[in-house]
Amino acid sequence: MEKIYNPKNIENKYYKIWEDRDYFEVDYSKKKNFAIMMPPPNVTGSLHIGHALTFTLQDIIVRYKRMDGFATLWQPGTDHAGIATQNVVERQILATGTTKEELGREKFLEKVWEWKASCGNTITTQLRSLGVSPAWKRERFTMDAGLQKAVKKAFKRLYDEGLIVRGNYMVNWCPKDGAISDIEVEYEEHHGHMYHIKYPIVNSDEYIIVATTRPETYFGDSAVMVNPNDERYKELIGKKVRLPLMDREIPIIADEYVDMEFGTGLVKVTPAHDPNDYEVGLRHNLEIIKVFDEKGILLPIAGEFAGSDRLEARADIVQKLQDEGFIEKIEEHTHQVGHCYRCKSVIEPYVSTQWFLKKETALPAIEAANKGDVNFHPASWKNNYDAWMKELRDWCISRQLWWGHQIPVFYCDECGNEWADEGTPSECPKCKSTKIRQDKDVLDTWFSSALWPFSTLGWGNDEFGEGKLWNTEDLERFYPNNLLVTGFDILFFWVARMMMMGTHFENKVPFKDVYLHALVRDKNGQKMSKSKGNVIDPLEMIEKYSTDALRFTLAILAVQGRDIKLSDEKLELSRNFTNKLYNATKYLLMSQDKFEDLDKIEIKTELGKYMLYKFNEAVKKVRNELDEYKFNDASMTLYRFLWQDFCDWGIELSKANKDSVAELGAIYKESMKLLHPFMPFITEYLYQTLNKTDLATNDSIMIMDYPQVQEVEKVEEFDIIIEAITSLRRAKALIEMPNQRINKAMVLAKLPTWALAYIEKLAKVENIELVDERIENAVSDISNNLQTFIPLSDIDLTPIINRLSKQQEKLLKDKTKLDNMLNNEKFVANAPANVIEKNRNELAEINNKLLSIQDELNKLKG
C-alpha cells in the first residue's frame, strides 16, 4: 500500500468496472423488491451541492437494499425543463443574430434537440463522479418517445373525464415566459409607493381618493367599489366617476369584499389585472379591459403611453397625473411583489385562455395521505402537505412555449370540433375535414414529471423501450415505489402532483415513504448564492477531499428537518476518517497479507470476541437507523465503531495479543461492507486489499451480502480493561508522566489475570497488580467501576508539588485582592454593575482552580 490514501487512483477506475459489469441494473432473480425514483435533474443543469445531498442519500439506501437481497431499481433520468431549456437555446440563437420566431417552431425545436444531444447530459456525467449507482441502462428523458406517449395517454384520459378544461382564467403571467402556476411565483419584499389618485364624481365638483401601488393599471378600471355597510359612502353607490386623463365613466358599486378599515375604504376594480377584482368583475358583470399585452406592453387604451413597457411607463403616467392635478399624495409603501421563479420578471395577474387541471383530481391523494398510505420524514411535512392540498386551486397546465409536450388537443376549422388525441390525426373525426390544427401551447414541465413514478415503468409507453428500458412485470413489482428522497422545496411542485397522478391513474399512492431533506447552507448558516460568493461546488470538493469524504460529510450532517451547515473543517474530518481507515488496514497487513471472510473463521481470542460484539451492535444500530432513514445517526454509529471502538481500542489492544489480529482483520473486512453504502470507493479498495484480490479479476464488495445481526456473547471484561487504561492515563498525567513508562500501578477491580497484559501494554506500566482495597501513599484516580493507584515511593514529586504550590500562592493573592474589593461597601455602591459582575465571576473561577489544585496536592502528598 502507498504511504497515504490516494482516491484519484481508484475512483474513476472502480466506477467504470461497476457500471460495465451491470452491477447497478435490476437483478430480477431476487424476490424482494425495492424501487426509488431519481428526481430527474434539468438537462440544463450541472451538479450543485443540493444534488450531491439528494443523490448521496438515495445511493446509500440503494446500495444498502441491493446488498440486502432486494431486486433494486433506482430509476435515473433527466427532465426537459421547458422554460429553462428554451431560454438557453434562445440565447444561443440570439447570439447568432437571429430569433426563434425567424427560425420558426420546427427549426427551433431541431436546435433544441441538437443542444440536448450535445450538452443535455452534462449532469448525468457529473453524477457518476459522486459514485451513485442507478440503473443507467434504463435512463429516461421526459420527452423520449415512450414518455411522450404516456403524457398523451394521461392528458386524453383526464380530458375525456372532464378534469382538463380550457377557458378564460386569471393566471400568473410572466411577460417573458407566459403563464406559470401559483407555486412558481416567488414573492419578494419591495419598497415602492402608494399613489393616491383623485377620481372626479360625475355631475359634481367633488372627487374621491383611490389608492393603488400600480397606477399604470387604472386605464383598465371598470368600477370603484365600497362596502355596502360603510355609512361614509352609501350615498355614492350607483353614482359614477370619470377616470383621470380619460373620457370614460365607471360606476361606484357595493361589494362586501371591501375592507372598511383598510385605507380610505374606496377600492378601484381592474378585473383584467387583479385576481380579486376579477372575481368582483364576474359577480357584477363588469367589463374586462386589458391594459397591456402578453409582453407587458401598454395597449391603445393607455392613450399616449401605448407602446411602452408597463413598468417603465409608470413614472411618466404618475407625472402626467400630477401635472393635471389628479395626485393627492404619494407615500412610501412596502409590499410583496411576485416574480417568475425562472427569469425573475415581475409577475402580472392576467386574463388568458389556458388549460387547467381541476382541483378535484387531488381528492384521492388527500384521502390517501389522511389514511396513512404515505409516510413523511420528518412527519411534520404531512401538515404542510395537507394545508396546501386543501387550499388547492385549479392547476394551470398550459405554457406559451415551443419546447415541451405540445398539448394533444386538435381543432377543426370546418365544424369547430375540439378533441384530444393520443396520435397524429389527419382528419376531423366528426366531419372528416382535413382542415385541422393542434393547440400551439405545451404542457407545464411538472405535468410530465408527475407521471414519473409509473410512466418510467412502462405505463402508457406502448411498445417503446419494452425489454430494454422497462419490463412488463415492472409496474407490479415496483409500483408503488418504496421511497422518494427529494428537497422540501419541491414538495408542492412535484411530490404533491405525483400523488395526484398516481392515485388517479393507478389508484395507489406512488410511494410509501417520502424523505424531504433540508437545505445545504454555508458554514455560517447562510443560504448559498453566487452574489454572496459562498457557493460550494461539489466537484471541487470531490477533487479536494475525495468522493467518499463529501458523501460521508453530507450523510453525517443530514439530521431530519434540519439545514446542513457545510464547511471545509467538516470535510477535513471526513477525509481524516478515510485516512484512519487506510492506516488501520496498513497496520493489519503488517501481520499477514490476507484475511479470511468472517463467516469462515472461529473467533477464539477474548479481544476478537469483544470486537465481534461491538461490530454486531453497530450492525444492529446501522440497520435500524437506515430503515428509519436516519442517515446522520447511521453515519455516526459507523464513525464511532470504526474510529473509536476498532481503531482507537481494537487495534491498540491487539498489540498486547498478536493472536487476535487475524480475527480483527476478518471483522474489519466485514465492516467495510457495513460502511460501503456511505463510502463506496475506499471500502471497495480496502476490502479487496484485505482479501488480497483485485477488483479487475474479483467480485465487488457492492454485490456481497450486507452484514446481518448475529447472536454474539458480550465480553464484559474489556469495558473494565479500557476503563482501567483510561484511569491510569489520567493518574499518570497528575504526576506529569503521561507518555512515560512507570514501574508499578494497582487496579481496584474484579478482572481476570489475562486482562493485565492489555492494561500493562496500553497504560505503559511494567507491572499491574490487582488489589481489593485502597492503597495509601499513592496517586489515585476514581472512575465509574474501579480505582487505580500509582505508588509514590519511587517517584520524586518535589518539582510537581513546588509548581502546584506556586500556582496556589499566586491564586490566593488574587483571591485576597478580589475579596477586599467586593467586601468594600463604597466600591460596590459606586462601581458599574458590569465591573462588579466581572469581578465576581473571576473570584468564582479562582475558587474553583484553588479547589482543583488542593485536590491534586492532597493526592500527591497521599
Side-chain angles (χ1 to χ4, degrees):
M1 295 175 71
E2 295 181 22
K3 186 176 181 180
I4 60 171
Y5 175 57
N6 188 349
K8 293 175 184 175
N9 290 344
I10 66 168
E11 289 182 352
N12 290 337
K13 178 174 71 176
Y14 278 9
Y15 193 90
K16 188 175 188 309
I17 293 173
W18 292 337
E19 188 173 354
D20 288 347
R21 289 183 185 173
D22 291 341
Y23 285 151
F24 305 160
E25 306 305 319
V26 182
D27 183 352
Y28 284 92
S29 69
K30 306 290 186 183
K31 301 302 180 187
K32 298 184 293 183
N33 303 308
F34 182 83
I36 183 172
M37 294 286 154
M38 176 184 289
N42 293 350
V43 287
T44 57
S46 59
L47 190 68
H48 60 62
I49 201 67
H51 290 134
L53 173 62
T54 300
F55 295 121
T56 292
L57 299 183
Q58 290 175 76
D59 194 52
I60 288 170
I61 287 292
V62 166
R63 287 179 181 270
Y64 164 52
K65 293 294 183 180
R66 188 186 291 120
M67 293 176 74
D68 210 29
F70 287 77
T72 304
L73 168 61
W74 184 9
Q75 176 64 54
T78 51
D79 193 285
H80 64 280
I83 293 175
T85 305
Q86 178 157 319
N87 286 343
V88 167
V89 179
E90 194 172 347
R91 283 196 297 269
Q92 292 176 345
I93 292 170
L94 286 170
T96 66
T98 188
T99 66
K100 76 176 195 297
E101 287 75 18
E102 289 170 340
L103 273 182
R105 184 170 191 147
E106 188 175 333
K107 289 287 186 184
F108 175 76
L109 291 177
E110 286 178 10
K111 292 288 184 184
V112 182
W113 280 107
E114 287 173 10
W115 177 87
K116 196 273 176 188
S118 62
C119 306
N121 295 322
T122 298
I123 193 166
T124 55
T125 302
Q126 293 173 337
L127 274 173
R128 287 169 165 83
S129 67
L130 197 62
V132 299
S133 58
W136 286 119
K137 288 190 173 179
R138 298 173 60 118
E139 184 178 349
R140 303 300 298 269
F141 176 53
T142 52
M143 279 186 62
D144 69 30
L147 297 188
Q148 287 195 45
K149 291 175 183 290
V151 166
K152 290 176 181 178
K153 181 184 184 73
F155 185 98
K156 185 178 188 309
R157 187 182 296 184
L158 290 165
Y159 177 92
D160 291 344
E161 292 168 351
L163 292 171
I164 288 180
V165 295
R166 186 171 67 121
N168 288 317
Y169 286 77
M170 172 73 67
V171 296
N172 301 298
W173 190 268
C174 171
K176 186 176 188 306
D177 297 320
I180 61 174
S181 64
D182 291 344
I183 56 174
E184 291 170 316
V185 180
E186 294 179 345
Y187 288 91
E188 298 176 7
E189 190 173 88
H190 176 70
H191 300 287
H193 298 89
M194 181 70 77
Y195 303 91
H196 296 257
I197 306 174
K198 299 175 183 178
Y199 282 32
I201 300 173
V202 175
N203 299 322
S204 169
D205 294 332
E206 298 180 344
Y207 56 84
I208 60 172
I209 303 295
V210 176
T212 180
T213 59
R214 302 161 69 214
E216 64 278 3
T217 64
Y218 94 90
F219 298 108
D221 287 359
S222 294
V224 171
M225 60 179 166
V226 299
N227 192 297
N229 302 312
D230 194 333
E231 295 294 336
R232 295 173 295 175
Y233 304 122
K234 278 194 172 182
E235 293 182 0
L236 290 177
I237 298 171
K239 293 185 178 182
K240 293 186 176 182
V241 292
R242 182 177 292 105
L243 289 176
L245 309 182
M246 302 176 69
D247 189 22
R248 184 158 66 84
E249 298 176 0
I250 60 174
I252 298 175
I253 62 173
D255 196 287
E256 291 189 348
Y257 169 75
V258 180
D259 181 357
M260 291 186 290
E261 304 300 321
F262 182 76
T264 63
L266 291 154
V267 180
K268 65 195 282 297
V269 185
T270 318
H273 298 291
D274 183 278
N276 297 313
D277 292 2
Y278 180 71
E279 298 297 329
V280 171
L282 293 178
R283 284 199 295 272
H284 293 270
N285 197 29
L286 298 175
E287 186 180 1
I288 296 174
I289 305 168
K290 290 185 179 179
V291 175
F292 45 81
D293 65 13
E294 297 175 351
K295 298 298 182 183
I297 304 302
L298 291 172
L299 295 167
I301 189 75
E304 64 187 89
F305 305 104
S308 302
D309 177 270
R310 87 272 187 220
L311 297 180
E312 293 175 0
R314 179 177 294 173
D316 294 334
I317 293 169
V318 170
Q319 186 62 53
K320 183 66 181 270
L321 287 169
Q322 281 182 316
D323 293 344
E324 297 291 328
F326 289 108
I327 295 291
E328 174 76 8
K329 61 180 176 178
I330 300 174
E331 296 176 320
E332 298 287 330
H333 181 70
T334 300
H335 60 293
Q336 297 290 316
V337 176
H339 293 77
C340 174
Y341 83 114
R342 280 292 179 195
C343 68
K344 309 307 177 187
S345 298
V346 173
I347 292 300
E348 295 287 354
Y350 194 76
V351 177
S352 177
T353 302
Q354 301 291 339
W355 287 98
F356 285 80
L357 178 64
K358 287 187 174 181
K359 61 185 178 183
E360 287 76 16
T361 315
L363 292 176
I366 295 171
E367 183 182 351
N370 288 332
K371 286 194 304 181
D373 292 351
V374 62
N375 301 307
F376 288 89
H377 308 269
S380 57
W381 280 109
K382 167 69 164 49
N383 297 330
N384 297 68
Y385 171 85
D386 286 342
W388 188 77
M389 292 293 268
K390 286 173 183 176
E391 296 297 320
L392 197 64
R393 300 201 303 179
D394 291 349
W395 171 18
C396 177
I397 58 173
S398 49
R399 296 292 182 267
Q400 288 63 55
L401 302 170
W402 287 354
W403 172 244
H405 292 275
Q406 192 170 353
I407 290 174
V409 170
F410 297 83
Y411 309 98
C412 176
D413 292 332
E414 285 285 339
C415 69
N417 185 31
E418 173 192 297
W419 75 101
D421 203 307
E422 293 181 44
T424 308
S426 57
E427 63 179 24
C428 173
K430 186 176 181 181
C431 71
K432 306 304 179 184
S433 170
T434 58
K435 293 181 179 179
I436 63 173
R437 55 189 168 82
Q438 187 173 357
D439 195 296
K440 291 182 179 180
D441 285 352
V442 301
L443 287 166
D444 178 10
T445 298
W446 298 103
F447 187 94
S448 53
S449 56
L451 309 176
W452 191 251
F454 52 92
S455 63
T456 52
L457 302 177
W459 185 95
N461 283 227
D462 293 341
E463 296 179 356
F464 177 85
E466 185 177 358
K468 183 178 179 183
L469 298 176
W470 56 274
N471 289 313
T472 52
E473 62 192 276
D474 283 355
L475 268 171
E476 183 179 349
R477 290 190 73 151
F478 298 123
Y479 190 90
N481 311 155
N482 297 80
L483 173 67
L484 176 73
V485 177
T486 190
F488 73 90
D489 52 331
I490 56 172
L491 171 60
F492 308 125
F493 280 103
W494 190 43
V495 180
R497 284 163 175 172
M498 285 190 287
M499 289 280 289
M500 290 164 60
M501 295 300 200
T503 52
H504 186 82
F505 290 112
E506 288 295 299
N507 299 312
K508 297 176 188 173
V509 293
F511 20 71
K512 297 170 185 174
D513 289 287
V514 178
Y515 179 97
L516 297 165
H517 64 73
L519 291 176
V520 184
R521 298 178 178 270
D522 70 11
K523 63 181 180 181
N524 299 313
Q526 295 291 312
K527 190 174 181 179
M528 294 183 197
S529 68
K530 291 179 180 178
S531 61
K532 291 179 184 175
N534 63 345
V535 173
I536 296 175
D537 184 343
L539 297 173
E540 290 180 7
M541 297 304 101
I542 288 170
E543 179 70 20
K544 188 174 181 181
Y545 296 105
S546 81
T547 297
D548 289 327
L550 175 62
R551 287 170 60 113
F552 196 76
T553 304
L554 292 169
I556 206 167
L557 294 175
V559 181
Q560 284 190 16
R562 190 183 303 171
D563 285 345
I564 288 174
K565 294 181 182 179
L566 189 60
S567 65
D568 281 284
E569 291 78 10
K570 289 169 182 173
L571 286 159
E572 285 169 7
L573 289 174
S574 293
R575 182 174 58 188
N576 293 343
F577 184 40
T578 62
N579 292 334
K580 190 80 170 178
L581 297 172
Y582 187 79
N583 289 332
T585 304
K586 286 177 67 177
Y587 167 80
L588 292 167
L589 291 172
M590 288 168 62
S591 298
Q592 59 191 69
D593 63 355
K594 180 183 178 181
F595 291 88
E596 294 297 326
D597 293 341
L598 184 57
D599 61 358
K600 292 180 181 176
I601 67 168
E602 181 183 357
I603 304 293
K604 297 179 179 179
T605 69
E606 298 299 328
L607 177 56
K609 292 175 182 176
Y610 174 71
M611 203 48 58
L612 181 62
Y613 169 79
K614 284 290 189 179
F615 172 67
N616 192 63
E617 289 297 295
V619 171
K620 189 186 304 180
K621 287 195 70 180
V622 168
R623 279 182 163 275
N624 289 337
E625 287 155 352
L626 282 178
D627 288 341
E628 295 175 1
Y629 312 121
K630 294 179 178 177
F631 297 98
N632 65 301
D633 290 338
S635 304
M636 186 55 71
T637 296
L638 286 161
Y639 184 86
R640 285 172 177 158
F641 167 70
L642 286 162
W643 189 304
Q644 298 173 11
D645 294 336
F646 191 90
C647 294
D648 284 355
W649 285 112
I651 283 180
E652 291 303 308
L653 290 164
S654 74
K655 294 174 182 177
N657 181 358
K658 293 294 183 181
D659 292 342
S660 66
V661 173
E663 298 170 354
L664 294 189
I667 294 168
Y668 190 63
K669 191 172 78 168
E670 190 73 7
S671 73
M672 292 300 99
K673 298 177 185 175
L674 192 66
L675 178 62
H676 176 75
F678 298 79
M679 306 178 87
F681 292 109
I682 193 169
T683 51
E684 179 78 91
Y685 174 71
L686 297 182
Y687 174 84
Q688 299 291 344
T689 302
L690 291 164
N691 207 43
K692 202 180 180 181
T693 51
D694 191 316
L695 179 59
T697 55
N698 192 54
D699 284 341
S700 167
I701 189 176
M702 69 173 287
I703 60 169
M704 302 296 170
D705 292 339
Y706 203 67
Q708 298 284 346
V709 178
Q710 307 290 338
E711 288 295 325
V712 177
E713 181 184 355
K714 183 178 181 181
V715 183
E716 302 279 357
E717 291 86 352
F718 269 98
D719 287 338
I720 304 298
I721 290 169
I722 290 170
E723 190 175 337
I725 293 166
T726 304
S727 178
L728 280 168
R729 287 173 175 174
R730 286 197 300 265
K732 288 173 66 181
L734 283 173
I735 57 174
E736 299 185 358
M737 300 178 70
N739 296 313
Q740 298 176 43
R741 296 195 69 81
I742 61 172
N743 183 49
K744 189 176 183 180
M746 293 84 164
V747 178
L748 176 56
K750 291 183 179 180
L751 280 171
T753 54
W754 60 259
L756 301 184
Y758 292 103
I759 301 173
E760 288 169 353
K761 181 74 173 178
L762 270 70
K764 295 185 178 180
V765 179
E766 293 294 338
N767 296 287
I768 293 291
E769 181 183 338
L770 294 174
V771 296
D772 54 13
E773 60 181 18
R774 177 181 169 82
I775 303 298
E776 299 298 327
N777 194 31
V779 171
S780 69
D781 180 85
I782 302 173
S783 61
N784 292 335
N785 302 294
L786 53 82
Q787 189 170 359
T788 56
F789 306 91
I790 300 175
L792 298 178
S793 54
D794 298 332
I795 300 172
D796 182 8
L797 300 175
T798 304
I800 304 169
I801 291 172
N802 287 342
R803 178 179 58 77
L804 290 172
S805 297
K806 286 180 181 177
Q807 287 182 13
Q808 186 182 48
E809 184 179 342
K810 182 180 183 305
L811 287 170
L812 285 169
K813 286 180 181 179
D814 293 340
K815 172 180 167 59
T816 301
K817 181 180 177 183
L818 287 169
D819 278 334
N820 290 337
M821 289 173 65
L822 292 170
N823 289 327
N824 185 327
E825 294 182 4
K826 188 175 180 181
F827 171 78
V828 173
N830 296 314
N834 64 317
V835 172
I836 295 171
E837 183 67 21
K838 180 183 177 184
N839 287 340
R840 284 175 177 160
N841 291 338
E842 287 181 9
L843 181 59
E845 189 177 338
I846 287 171
N847 285 330
N848 288 334
K849 287 180 180 178
L850 283 168
L851 287 172
S852 178
I853 288 174
Q854 189 60 55
D855 183 54
E856 288 188 47
L857 286 170
N858 290 339
K859 288 179 180 178
L860 293 172
K861 293 175 181 178

